[in-house]
mmCIF file of all heavy atoms in Angstrom:
data_model
loop_
_atom_site.group_PDB
_atom_site.id
_atom_site.type_symbol
_atom_site.label_atom_id
_atom_site.label_comp_id
_atom_site.label_asym_id
_atom_site.label_seq_id
_atom_site.Cartn_x
_atom_site.Cartn_y
_atom_site.Cartn_z
ATOM 1 N N GLY A 597 -2.528 -5.323 -9.599
ATOM 2 C CA GLY A 597 -2.203 -4.528 -8.416
ATOM 3 C C GLY A 597 -2.169 -5.462 -7.222
ATOM 4 O O GLY A 597 -2.756 -6.555 -7.260
ATOM 5 N N SER A 598 -1.451 -5.049 -6.164
ATOM 6 C CA SER A 598 -1.460 -5.926 -4.984
ATOM 7 C C SER A 598 -2.836 -5.921 -4.339
ATOM 8 O O SER A 598 -3.204 -6.853 -3.632
ATOM 9 C CB SER A 598 -0.349 -5.571 -4.001
ATOM 10 O OG SER A 598 -0.342 -4.218 -3.708
ATOM 11 N N ASN A 599 -3.639 -4.898 -4.631
ATOM 12 C CA ASN A 599 -5.033 -4.898 -4.155
ATOM 13 C C ASN A 599 -5.791 -6.140 -4.614
ATOM 14 O O ASN A 599 -6.560 -6.714 -3.859
ATOM 15 C CB ASN A 599 -5.777 -3.681 -4.723
ATOM 16 C CG ASN A 599 -5.762 -2.519 -3.747
ATOM 17 O OD1 ASN A 599 -5.569 -2.706 -2.558
ATOM 18 N ND2 ASN A 599 -5.969 -1.336 -4.258
ATOM 19 N N ILE A 602 -4.833 -9.021 -2.494
ATOM 20 C CA ILE A 602 -5.482 -8.998 -1.174
ATOM 21 C C ILE A 602 -6.869 -9.647 -1.303
ATOM 22 O O ILE A 602 -7.266 -10.505 -0.513
ATOM 23 C CB ILE A 602 -5.594 -7.536 -0.655
ATOM 24 C CG1 ILE A 602 -4.197 -6.965 -0.373
ATOM 25 C CG2 ILE A 602 -6.488 -7.459 0.590
ATOM 26 C CD1 ILE A 602 -4.151 -5.456 -0.162
ATOM 27 N N PHE A 623 -4.002 -0.118 6.369
ATOM 28 C CA PHE A 623 -4.592 0.065 5.037
ATOM 29 C C PHE A 623 -6.079 -0.343 5.062
ATOM 30 O O PHE A 623 -6.413 -1.463 5.463
ATOM 31 C CB PHE A 623 -3.798 -0.802 4.058
ATOM 32 C CG PHE A 623 -4.083 -0.561 2.611
ATOM 33 C CD1 PHE A 623 -4.333 0.713 2.123
ATOM 34 C CD2 PHE A 623 -4.074 -1.635 1.716
ATOM 35 C CE1 PHE A 623 -4.570 0.916 0.771
ATOM 36 C CE2 PHE A 623 -4.303 -1.437 0.368
ATOM 37 C CZ PHE A 623 -4.559 -0.151 -0.100
ATOM 38 N N TYR A 626 -8.018 -3.821 3.654
ATOM 39 C CA TYR A 626 -8.098 -5.159 4.267
ATOM 40 C C TYR A 626 -9.497 -5.398 4.850
ATOM 41 O O TYR A 626 -10.136 -6.402 4.561
ATOM 42 C CB TYR A 626 -7.057 -5.335 5.389
ATOM 43 C CG TYR A 626 -5.643 -4.988 5.035
ATOM 44 C CD1 TYR A 626 -4.811 -4.336 5.954
ATOM 45 C CD2 TYR A 626 -5.118 -5.306 3.792
ATOM 46 C CE1 TYR A 626 -3.499 -4.016 5.647
ATOM 47 C CE2 TYR A 626 -3.804 -4.988 3.477
ATOM 48 C CZ TYR A 626 -3.008 -4.333 4.410
ATOM 49 O OH TYR A 626 -1.718 -4.003 4.108
ATOM 50 N N SER A 667 0.897 -4.609 7.393
ATOM 51 C CA SER A 667 1.389 -3.718 6.343
ATOM 52 C C SER A 667 2.743 -3.244 6.846
ATOM 53 O O SER A 667 2.823 -2.585 7.872
ATOM 54 C CB SER A 667 0.377 -2.567 6.205
ATOM 55 O OG SER A 667 0.912 -1.485 5.493
ATOM 56 N N ASN A 671 0.899 1.494 6.159
ATOM 57 C CA ASN A 671 0.159 2.644 5.658
ATOM 58 C C ASN A 671 -1.018 2.840 6.618
ATOM 59 O O ASN A 671 -1.800 1.916 6.785
ATOM 60 C CB ASN A 671 -0.353 2.337 4.240
ATOM 61 C CG ASN A 671 -1.123 3.494 3.650
ATOM 62 O OD1 ASN A 671 -1.204 4.574 4.238
ATOM 63 N ND2 ASN A 671 -1.711 3.278 2.491
ATOM 64 N N ASP A 698 2.117 -7.311 3.719
ATOM 65 C CA ASP A 698 1.943 -6.388 2.595
ATOM 66 C C ASP A 698 3.117 -5.400 2.603
ATOM 67 O O ASP A 698 3.149 -4.459 3.390
ATOM 68 C CB ASP A 698 0.598 -5.672 2.754
ATOM 69 C CG ASP A 698 0.329 -4.685 1.640
ATOM 70 O OD1 ASP A 698 1.232 -4.432 0.821
ATOM 71 O OD2 ASP A 698 -0.797 -4.144 1.602
ATOM 72 N N ALA A 700 4.196 -3.228 0.308
ATOM 73 C CA ALA A 700 4.062 -2.331 -0.855
ATOM 74 C C ALA A 700 5.146 -1.242 -0.885
ATOM 75 O O ALA A 700 5.526 -0.773 -1.956
ATOM 76 C CB ALA A 700 2.677 -1.684 -0.862
ATOM 77 N N TYR A 701 5.635 -0.853 0.307
ATOM 78 C CA TYR A 701 6.608 0.255 0.375
ATOM 79 C C TYR A 701 7.996 -0.236 0.759
ATOM 80 O O TYR A 701 8.837 0.548 1.198
ATOM 81 C CB TYR A 701 6.107 1.312 1.375
ATOM 82 C CG TYR A 701 4.744 1.823 0.991
ATOM 83 C CD1 TYR A 701 3.593 1.287 1.547
ATOM 84 C CD2 TYR A 701 4.621 2.832 0.034
ATOM 85 C CE1 TYR A 701 2.336 1.726 1.151
ATOM 86 C CE2 TYR A 701 3.368 3.281 -0.360
ATOM 87 C CZ TYR A 701 2.233 2.722 0.202
ATOM 88 O OH TYR A 701 1.001 3.166 -0.194
ATOM 89 N N THR A 729 4.503 -4.545 -4.934
ATOM 90 C CA THR A 729 3.787 -3.849 -5.999
ATOM 91 C C THR A 729 4.738 -3.104 -6.930
ATOM 92 O O THR A 729 5.840 -2.725 -6.521
ATOM 93 C CB THR A 729 2.758 -2.855 -5.413
ATOM 94 O OG1 THR A 729 2.053 -2.250 -6.488
ATOM 95 C CG2 THR A 729 3.406 -1.757 -4.583
ATOM 96 N N SER A 731 3.445 -0.374 -8.263
ATOM 97 C CA SER A 731 2.762 0.928 -8.294
ATOM 98 C C SER A 731 3.623 2.063 -7.758
ATOM 99 O O SER A 731 3.489 3.197 -8.207
ATOM 100 C CB SER A 731 1.496 0.879 -7.446
ATOM 101 O OG SER A 731 0.582 -0.038 -7.976
ATOM 102 N N LYS A 732 4.457 1.791 -6.784
ATOM 103 C CA LYS A 732 5.104 2.866 -6.031
ATOM 104 C C LYS A 732 6.503 3.155 -6.591
ATOM 105 O O LYS A 732 6.703 4.131 -7.282
ATOM 106 C CB LYS A 732 5.158 2.487 -4.546
ATOM 107 C CG LYS A 732 3.838 1.971 -3.977
ATOM 108 C CD LYS A 732 2.768 3.021 -3.932
ATOM 109 C CE LYS A 732 1.439 2.435 -3.458
ATOM 110 N NZ LYS A 732 0.381 3.420 -3.396
ATOM 111 N N ARG A 740 -1.748 -1.177 -12.946
ATOM 112 C CA ARG A 740 -2.241 -2.191 -12.014
ATOM 113 C C ARG A 740 -1.451 -3.501 -12.104
ATOM 114 O O ARG A 740 -1.817 -4.407 -12.847
ATOM 115 C CB ARG A 740 -3.749 -2.485 -12.230
ATOM 116 C CG ARG A 740 -4.642 -1.281 -12.370
ATOM 117 C CD ARG A 740 -4.528 -0.308 -11.188
ATOM 118 N NE ARG A 740 -4.844 -0.956 -9.932
ATOM 119 C CZ ARG A 740 -4.015 -0.955 -8.887
ATOM 120 N NH1 ARG A 740 -2.850 -0.335 -8.916
ATOM 121 N NH2 ARG A 740 -4.365 -1.554 -7.780
ATOM 122 N N ILE A 741 -0.377 -3.568 -11.380
ATOM 123 C CA ILE A 741 0.353 -4.844 -11.314
ATOM 124 C C ILE A 741 1.134 -4.965 -10.003
ATOM 125 O O ILE A 741 1.800 -4.024 -9.569
ATOM 126 C CB ILE A 741 1.252 -5.082 -12.558
ATOM 127 C CG1 ILE A 741 1.939 -6.444 -12.471
ATOM 128 C CG2 ILE A 741 2.254 -3.954 -12.794
ATOM 129 C CD1 ILE A 741 2.374 -7.019 -13.797
HETATM 130 C C1 PLP B 276 -0.306 -0.847 2.162
HETATM 131 C C2 PLP B 276 -0.733 -0.879 0.731
HETATM 132 N N1 PLP B 276 -0.894 -2.054 0.148
HETATM 133 C C3 PLP B 276 -1.283 -2.140 -1.130
HETATM 134 C C4 PLP B 276 -1.536 -1.000 -1.871
HETATM 135 C C5 PLP B 276 -2.072 -1.150 -3.252
HETATM 136 O O1 PLP B 276 -1.116 -1.263 -4.164
HETATM 137 P P1 PLP B 276 -1.462 -1.666 -5.666
HETATM 138 O O2 PLP B 276 -1.424 -0.420 -6.448
HETATM 139 O O3 PLP B 276 -0.392 -2.645 -6.001
HETATM 140 O O4 PLP B 276 -2.825 -2.307 -5.696
HETATM 141 C C6 PLP B 276 -1.372 0.241 -1.310
HETATM 142 C C7 PLP B 276 -1.654 1.448 -2.122
HETATM 143 O O5 PLP B 276 -1.796 2.530 -1.707
HETATM 144 C C8 PLP B 276 -0.974 0.315 0.034
HETATM 145 O O6 PLP B 276 -0.839 1.493 0.643
#
Side-chain angles (χ1 to χ4, degrees):
S598 50
N599 265 339
I602 293 167
F623 191 37
Y626 309 141
S667 164
N671 180 6
D698 180 352
Y701 303 96
T729 182
S731 296
K732 312 293 176 180
R740 314 305 302 125
I741 183 157

